[in-house]
Amino acid sequence: MPINAKLIEDHNEQQATVHRRKLDFIKADLADADAIIQKLAAFNIAIPSWALGTGGTRFGRFSGGGEPRNLEEKIEDVGLLHALNRSSGAISLHIPWDIPENYADIKSLAAQYQLKFDAVNSNTFQDQPGQALSYKFGSLHHVDAKVRQQAIEHNIEVIRHGVELGSKALTVWLADGSSFPGQLNFRKAFQRTLESLKEIYRALPADWNLLIEYKAFEPSFYSTTVGDWGQSFTLANKLGPQAYTLVDLGHHLANANIEQIVALLLMEGKLGGFHFNDSKYADDDLTAGSIKPYQLFLIFNELVEGMDARGLDHATGLGWMIDASHNLKDPLEDLLQSVEAIMIAYAQALVVDRHALVQAQEQNDVVKCQEILQQAFRTDVRPLVAEARLIAGGALDPIGLFRTSEVRKSLIGRRGAKTVATGL
Ligand code: RM4
Ligand code: MN
Ligand code: MN
């Protein structure tokens, strides 16, 4: 691997004085800085296997060099990220893009990089070569029972792969929907989806969760069968205690109040997982925090408040994952930026003066409420995040070290300048 402990140590030594000065500055104003740093150090965000290659749009894809060519190289890339930031300690696989050939080998490779296997993801939004029946008109909601059965069996197969790797959750995202009014009977489509999910739910091991992801539109442009949190929540409630809603930040209509959705799902005990990204218009795959960092902070503010209210451990209480693809940037640099943005928003939420906020809310002191939140948002918490990385063995400046140690150059040297990663 192009990054090793010695490189990180030397890099951290060079940055130590400046870092210490900034850290002392913020620590002087915070009573519980050490507790916050501990929480940050424990926090990990899974990396999806499809985010490691260059993404594209429906108009084209401009691939970069040194992209991972197989699952082993994808694991190596996540290992690299984790070595740099110590906050990317899990990989989420998409089946069939990443079917492991030998479970034991893949597991031991991941263990070498101290990586766990996060939720496994099924794929019934594309037809695969040799597939008997098409998903053109949907999968779990399809009018034809045989297509539904094929999709159910695929999901059960994905669970089997996950069990071998030690995953504990299946994420189901469906492209099922309609693009023209009248195409679909909404009620029947929803019922059929529920019946299909029941079959999948029955195949879940006792210690597994089923995460139901919703998306407002795309690829369907008129209706999506699991299109919003209400639809996902209804399904999760009807399925049972192992079923949860998964919130993907990019899957809402513009200006949706995601922080309120998160608060209510947590209150109902039905928020199971999270996909981070950002968007301005419709693309659901931009770098987390690149467009609306204040919204990301407000979401984390509700997450922290809601998880504390339920006594959930921040690091393990929910499934955290990045879900993005990158058109222009080096995917590894982009992922480092995403993780950093998430950690910053989490740290800002941790520095909110919660006691004062509750008081101000009780007194309807609207001005004070805003002051309290913005005080936290405008605090430069980056030294806390850097310190958490430092104590966990990561680099003070992950992107800086990625560049100075020429990681991409070394990956291109080994994998070639024009590689095509599988996936999106
Ligand atoms: C979807 C959704 C899913 C992801 C696929 C690749 O938009 O976000 O989570 O599995 O993309
Ligand atoms: Mn997603
Ligand atoms: Mn998405």
Side-chain angles (χ1 to χ4, degrees):
M1 198 168 58
I3 292 290
N4 57 47
K6 175 84 175 79
L7 268 175
I8 293 179
E9 220 175 278
D10 292 348
H11 159 91
N12 286 344
E13 240 175 67
Q14 279 165 23
Q15 316 248 337
T17 316
V18 177
H19 166 64
R20 181 78 19 226
R21 194 181 67 230
K22 292 181 180 167
L23 183 67
D24 289 345
F25 182 79
I26 176 169
K27 272 184 140 183
D29 280 336
L30 288 177
D32 51 353
D34 290 329
I36 291 173
I37 291 166
Q38 291 303 328
K39 284 181 187 164
L40 292 170
F43 203 74
N44 266 268
I45 304 134
I47 306 293
S49 59
W50 59 95
L52 300 158
T54 315
T57 70
R58 68 198 172 94
F59 297 104
R61 178 178 177 274
F62 303 93
S63 61
E67 293 179 3
R69 294 162 296 183
N70 49 42
L71 180 54
E72 286 77 3
E73 291 182 352
K74 290 178 182 180
I75 290 174
E76 185 195 357
D77 277 9
V78 180
L80 258 164
L81 296 173
H82 191 45
L84 287 164
N85 66 18
R86 305 308 299 168
S87 310
S88 308
I91 180 165
S92 185
L93 301 189
H94 223 298
I95 308 293
W97 293 339
D98 299 295
I99 296 183
E101 273 162 24
N102 182 320
Y103 297 120
D105 289 355
I106 287 294
K107 272 173 84 170
S108 79
L109 184 68
Q112 273 174 40
Y113 298 117
Q114 296 167 286
L115 303 179
K116 294 193 184 101
F117 288 93
D118 197 63
V120 275
N121 303 265
S122 58
N123 180 342
T124 59
F125 48 86
Q126 294 172 318
D127 286 345
Q128 304 302 329
Q131 184 180 310
L133 302 164
S134 174
Y135 294 132
K136 179 173 178 180
F137 296 108
S139 58
L140 296 185
H141 88 176
H142 203 283
V143 289
D144 182 347
K146 292 197 284 300
V147 179
R148 301 201 294 275
Q149 192 53 38
Q150 177 181 283
I152 291 165
E153 280 163 19
H154 165 70
N155 275 278
I156 294 173
E157 187 205 323
V158 174
I159 296 174
R160 268 189 236 117
H161 288 301
V163 166
E164 296 291 341
L165 296 172
S167 290
K168 292 288 175 216
L170 167 71
T171 299
V172 177
W173 171 67
L174 301 170
D176 297 24
S178 67
S179 277
F180 298 94
Q183 184 189 328
L184 204 64
N185 179 305
F186 297 140
R187 187 168 40 79
K188 287 185 186 166
F190 193 81
Q191 287 293 353
R192 289 193 294 260
T193 304
L194 174 62
E195 293 311 313
S196 305
L197 284 171
K198 278 185 187 164
E199 297 285 323
I200 298 165
Y201 188 89
R202 262 196 282 278
L204 276 185
D207 59 346
W208 270 55
N209 291 334
L210 175 62
L211 306 177
I212 306 163
E213 181 171 359
Y214 58 89
K215 185 175 186 184
F217 70 95
E218 202 216 9
S220 293
F221 288 119
Y222 173 62
S223 74
T224 300
T225 298
V226 188
D228 67 14
W229 74 280
Q231 289 151 357
S232 166
F233 180 65
T234 305
L235 292 168
N237 268 338
K238 285 182 189 277
L239 286 169
Q242 286 171 255
Y244 294 88
T245 293
L246 183 142
V247 174
D248 181 313
L249 295 186
H251 288 189
H252 302 86
L253 295 176
N255 296 329
N257 189 335
I258 303 173
E259 51 271 31
Q260 187 178 16
I261 295 172
V262 163
L264 297 187
L265 283 172
L266 260 176
M267 179 182 76
E268 291 300 311
K270 278 297 189 188
L271 182 60
F274 228 84
H275 284 180
F276 293 103
N277 47 50
D278 211 339
S279 55
K280 178 138 179 88
Y281 305 106
D283 185 85
D284 61 327
D285 283 327
L286 299 184
T287 318
S290 62
I291 309 269
K292 291 169 287 195
Y294 191 50
Q295 183 192 47
L296 189 59
F297 157 71
L298 294 175
I299 291 168
F300 260 104
N301 181 48
E302 294 302 333
L303 285 168
V304 166
E305 200 270 345
M307 291 180 88
D308 288 349
R310 292 187 69 89
L312 288 174
D313 180 73
H314 296 178
T316 57
L318 296 181
W320 309 108
M321 191 186 94
I322 290 174
D323 189 3
S325 83
H326 337 273
N327 302 330
L328 303 173
K329 296 174 182 167
D330 180 314
L332 293 177
E333 291 191 355
D334 181 278
L335 287 162
L336 290 171
Q337 284 185 317
S338 279
V339 172
E340 180 75 4
I342 294 163
M343 296 299 282
I344 289 171
Y346 176 40
Q348 288 164 334
L350 291 173
V351 306
V352 168
D353 186 343
R354 252 162 238 290
H355 181 69
L357 183 61
V358 172
Q359 271 188 334
Q361 287 170 341
E362 297 295 329
Q363 290 158 7
N364 293 315
D365 190 342
V366 186
V367 168
K368 183 89 182 155
C369 291
Q370 180 181 326
E371 289 294 305
I372 291 165
L373 287 189
Q374 295 197 344
Q375 167 62 31
F377 179 66
R378 288 171 178 153
T379 303
D380 186 357
V381 296
R382 289 175 298 177
L384 299 175
V385 176
E387 178 68 7
R389 264 199 304 275
L390 185 69
I391 59 177
L396 279 171
D397 175 10
I399 292 180
L401 181 55
F402 181 89
R403 290 195 166 190
T404 54
S405 54
E406 299 187 311
V407 173
R408 182 55 63 188
K409 201 171 153 195
S410 112
L411 293 176
I412 289 174
R414 279 165 36 213
R415 299 172 182 171
K418 273 260 173 271
T419 49
V420 180
T422 51
L424 287 178

